[in-house]
Amino acid sequence: VETGVHSPPGEITTPPGKVSPTAAATVSPTTLAKPMSGMMIQEEGGDPIIRKGTAGKTVKLTANYVRLEMEGEKGMYEYEVKFSPLVDSRDERFKLVGQQRELFGPTKTFDGICLYLPHQLDQAVTVVKGIHPVDQSEVTLTMSLKHKKRLADKACIQFYNTLFRRIMTTLKMCQMNKNFYDPTAGHLVPQHKLEIWPGYVTSVQQFEGGVMLCCDVSHKVLRTQTAYQLLKDVVAQKPADMQGSVLKALLGAVVLTRYNNKCYKVDDIDWDMTPGSKFVDHNGEEKSFVDYYKKHYGITIKDEKQPMLINRAKKKTAEEADVAKLIALVPELCNLTGLTDQMKNDFRVMKDVALFTRVTPNQRQLALRKFLKNVNDSAEASSHLLNWGLRLAPDAIKLEGRLLNPEKLMAGKNFQFTVNSKADWGREITTNHMLTAVDLKKWSVVFVQKNDAVVQNFVSLMIKLSPKMGMKVAQPEMNQLANDRTETYLKAIRDNVNPNVQLVVAIMPTPRDDRYSAVKKLCCVEKPVPSQVINFKTISNEKKVSSVVQKVALQINCKLGGELWGCSIPAKLGNLMVLGVDVYHDPSRRGSSIAGVVSSTNMSMSRWYSSTCFQQPGQELIDSLKIAFIKALKKFYEMNHVWPDKVMVFRDGVGDSQLAMSAKYEAEQFKDSFKHISDTYKPGFGFIVVQKRINTRIFSMSGKELDNPPPGTVLDHTVTRRDWYDFFLVSQHVGQGTVSPTHYVVVHDSMELPVDAVQRISYKLTHMYYNWPGTVRVPAPCQYAHKLAYQVGEHIHKEPSAKLEDRLFYL
């Protein structure tokens, strides 16, 4: 079997020219006895990696995982199917295999290349003849036995997922991307012309506690507007370049055809083709689209002059790549899906949609039970499992997790406080002094004439309220502008900035991206000075203005290089440096990405050093990351006059598929940089991948009712990955809906720290993001790196000045 095409999840495929990580470190019993040195992956059939901490108090939890139980061991036989002459189309392959029902029996799973059967065929190689569905020619099928596997085997994961896809189709669910939705249970939101379909996202994987199905609730938003109506709306605006404007509106949109509930992406618009055009159908007859829809679906197409939307079918196999399969769609039969940017910015739309999509823990659990009941009640769906000797457990899995002790934080004047159960310290921080306040002596405010009164009020509040937080603010230089043109703002800032100015505050009458970008570019690259852009609307509300001013003052203090609060890292850990890495992909310039690298420069994790890397197309991102990494180590030395003993890298933005490859490779490369400092310098090194977009949901059980687990809940067994050292951590408190845990995967670890310490440090760091007086979902350096990469990628497009690197200028 070609492993390149389908490598089962969790297996490492080594990029060409690299030594496979497992080959490079063959694990001997002595290395395993030492506390976690280096490698974290295992060979097939090895014991799962179990790393459990003990700190904190035990809490009862449940999660959205269901065990797959085996009823008696039926083996699984995997055959490779070869077609002669070659059959390119996947659909035709399925039909050819389907013709052989007598031979295979009722139970089979076929994915285009591999055929899985619960019993063995008489010969090891079976040859049969089939009839090609299109031209009725004869095709020879050769099935050769490749493996016999146990169903509990790790390599069967792909088979399970194929099986569940089939169950979903049996339950009449409609597939979109990788999720399944129930078209019959849709909710209408007529006031915004929307429809919301509930659905499930399922995946089967092997965890520490065996093979389980992870099942979460998902929602798909459909618009009742068709592509044809959108086309008409664009044409009605009479744009100069009509075809260009229509293309811009529709290109890349995902449309749903209601007659067969399938989704297609719009790749192009064919202006020469109309529903009246003829095409050759699968029986070889020539007919027009109008006749085809009339005959097959009983649909009458109203406008025969509309252009057709083109979808390039996704290539499922290498052979199909040469045969360009174009699917033509009629705009008036295509419903648009998803929310437009305009809708996303409309508070009312989002609020009404959230009524359906925000689901409480109890509702989530009900939906999971309903799914299990549907599968078990439907004879056809449950037979898919029973034929293989499988069964879904009747209810979700019950677990024990741990709740870490609340964190102690330090503010100015030696004031210490313990974080409350909601993990929010907005009160404490605005009523006490900041850890290190920078006095604002010389600053400049740029604003439009008509906003004068509100701006004067804002300035006087800044001067009045800031001292309560330990920051003295002097009277600024006020610059009135005649109009709000971008050039006017830029000229005023250029004229006012000199090396003594600490800060520029620009107050914008309306939020406009181009103007914001221009001001940021000027203040971060050309004339480096910390800048604060404020939208006029934010400070014009009388009731809220004082709390806004407090927040702005805190933000300004960070931009001037101050510190708001600190946490305590135990001295026994030695000199610890943490780093956050996140990448921004620029959608307009494909191939070039920008990485933000943010590192701590002191032990209370309250001072940060930020640098950006630009990846040129075709160049490995890691090459520029190494330079940033070495800069960060040198900065730590410059501030503390010692090199760090332990370095922890938190890497955001790595999906499951790239875990083994990119993370391993990056970890090795980072580790490699230590020799650039000196040959003898070998600090403890940890590389932790932080994943936010996961389908795991954890609930705490109090009696019958389920609730969101409190901040600081850790789960590090049973539902964690079998072959990795990993844990889930819930760090933030949510008021509505269900909280998402964050998944931490320790890809490389030579820090020789106990599991509890790694979990504790990760939790401490979620308290250190200064833009929010509470915990965030990821460790602060990751959140800073994300914010920095976004700011540079979205607005500045150039490397920020080195003068700003030791301040959080991008908050």
Side-chain angles (χ1 to χ4, degrees), residues 40-56:
M40 291 296 163
I41 190 95
Q42 282 152 339
E43 297 313 296
E44 202 52 69
D47 292 328
I49 292 186
I50 297 178
R51 296 242 183 263
K52 289 167 81 164
T54 50

Side-chain angles (χ1 to χ4, degrees), residues 65-344:
Y65 288 83
V66 184
R67 282 186 197 283
L68 258 184
E69 298 167 350
M70 317 274 161
E71 306 239 326
E73 179 58 72
K74 286 189 178 182
M76 177 176 110
Y77 298 85
E78 182 183 320
Y79 288 86
E80 183 185 14
V81 186
K82 284 217 161 77
F83 298 89
S84 152
L86 276 179
V87 177
D88 291 338
S89 150
R90 210 176 122 97
D91 298 343
E92 286 157 23
R93 288 182 190 193
F94 273 96
K95 284 177 187 151
L96 280 162
V97 172
Q99 290 169 9
Q100 310 296 332
R101 276 196 80 110
E102 278 97 64
L103 175 66
F104 301 143
T107 307
K108 65 168 194 309
T109 299
F110 179 60
D111 64 7
I113 295 169
C114 299
L115 172 74
Y116 305 101
L117 297 172
H119 53 80
Q120 193 168 347
L121 297 175
D122 301 336
Q123 291 103 5
V125 177
T126 312
V127 181
V128 291
K129 296 210 177 331
I131 291 161
H132 197 293
V134 174
D135 55 13
Q136 271 59 51
S137 62
E138 191 175 76
V139 181
T140 311
L141 284 72
T142 313
M143 273 81 59
S144 33
L145 180 62
K146 286 289 182 213
H147 306 283
K148 170 179 196 262
K149 294 178 174 164
R150 288 174 37 251
L151 280 174
D153 195 357
K154 195 167 99 188
C156 294
I157 297 306
Q158 187 193 348
F159 154 75
Y160 287 127
N161 287 308
T162 317
L163 196 63
F164 270 97
R165 221 168 291 145
R166 234 147 121 216
I167 291 174
M168 289 300 209
T169 321
T170 309
L171 292 172
K172 303 219 171 14
M173 304 285 270
C174 153
Q175 183 174 3
M176 298 190 197
N177 290 342
K178 291 191 176 151
N179 305 351
F180 289 87
Y181 298 94
D182 183 356
T184 56
H187 303 285
L188 286 168
V189 188
Q191 64 271 39
H192 306 301
K193 300 199 171 79
L194 294 176
E195 184 176 351
I196 297 169
W197 286 4
Y200 298 101
V201 38
T202 59
S203 79
V204 180
Q205 263 170 348
Q206 191 162 26
F207 299 97
E208 277 170 33
V211 177
M212 288 187 244
L213 167 78
C214 169
C215 176
D216 193 27
V217 179
S218 160
H219 290 87
K220 188 80 191 162
V221 179
L222 306 174
R223 289 185 262 159
T224 45
Q225 185 189 26
T226 61
Y228 179 70
Q229 288 162 335
L230 182 65
L231 211 137
K232 280 273 184 251
D233 290 349
V234 174
V235 175
Q237 288 163 9
K238 300 205 170 89
D241 171 16
M242 198 235 356
Q243 297 196 353
S245 308
V246 172
L247 242 165
K248 196 176 164 204
L250 279 168
L251 206 64
V254 176
V255 296
L256 173 95
T257 49
R258 270 302 171 67
Y259 48 86
N260 60 357
N261 279 338
K262 279 200 170 139
C263 279
Y264 302 94
K265 184 168 173 242
V266 180
D267 294 313
D268 200 0
I269 297 176
D270 190 335
W271 297 91
D272 304 328
M273 200 194 235
T274 66
S277 310
K278 299 239 187 319
F279 71 101
V280 178
D281 73 357
H282 56 281
N283 298 327
E285 293 174 34
E286 194 180 38
K287 55 170 73 160
S288 70
F289 290 101
V290 178
D291 301 340
Y292 173 81
Y293 283 108
K294 185 93 188 115
K295 186 180 161 197
H296 283 262
Y297 299 105
I299 296 173
T300 311
I301 292 173
K302 299 188 182 77
D303 180 353
E304 293 194 15
K305 296 275 187 297
Q306 52 191 318
M308 300 291 275
L309 309 179
I310 301 295
N311 163 263
R312 289 191 188 86
K314 228 176 167 175
K315 314 290 179 292
K316 288 288 170 56
T317 57
E319 296 90 27
E320 272 186 293
D322 316 332
V323 194
K325 265 182 90 175
L326 295 181
I327 299 173
L329 303 163
V330 184
E332 70 179 58
L333 304 181
C334 294
N335 280 50
L336 296 162
T337 66
L339 294 162
T340 57
D341 290 343
Q342 191 186 348
M343 288 173 168
K344 283 180 185 158

Side-chain angles (χ1 to χ4, degrees), residues 3 125 130 239 477 554 564 671 752 765 809:
T3 47
V125 177
E477 194 172 306
L554 290 170
L564 304 188
K671 205 175 171 186
E752 301 189 346
L765 287 171
F809 63 90

Side-chain angles (χ1 to χ4, degrees), residues 653-666:
V654 178
D656 272 351
S657 51
Q658 299 132 334
L659 239 180
M661 215 203 83
S662 79
K664 273 280 183 296
Y665 174 53
E666 282 183 20

Side-chain angles (χ1 to χ4, degrees), residues 513 517 584-587 594 788-797:
D513 268 355
S517 298
Y584 170 85
H585 300 289
D586 189 348
I594 292 162
L788 167 66
Y790 179 79
Q791 172 91 275
V792 173
E794 191 75 6
H795 301 295
I796 304 174
H797 303 297

Side-chain angles (χ1 to χ4, degrees), residues 481-544:
L481 308 179
N483 57 41
D484 67 350
R485 297 224 307 278
T486 306
E487 303 76 59
T488 321
Y489 271 95
L490 297 182
K491 186 179 180 305
I493 294 171
R494 274 200 193 94
D495 295 349
N496 279 300
V497 170
N498 56 40
N500 307 334
V501 173
Q502 286 172 286
L503 173 84
V504 172
V505 175
I507 292 168
M508 305 274 178
T510 52
R512 256 192 27 219
D513 268 355
D514 55 330
R515 185 168 50 200
Y516 177 83
S517 298
V519 168
K520 283 295 178 195
K521 206 174 211 164
L522 172 67
C523 297
C524 294
V525 184
E526 196 182 317
K527 294 236 177 196
V529 60
S531 56
Q532 178 81 33
V533 177
I534 302 174
N535 180 0
F536 171 72
K537 197 176 158 194
T538 336
I539 52 169
S540 56
N541 183 337
E542 277 295 315
K543 295 191 186 72
K544 294 181 186 160

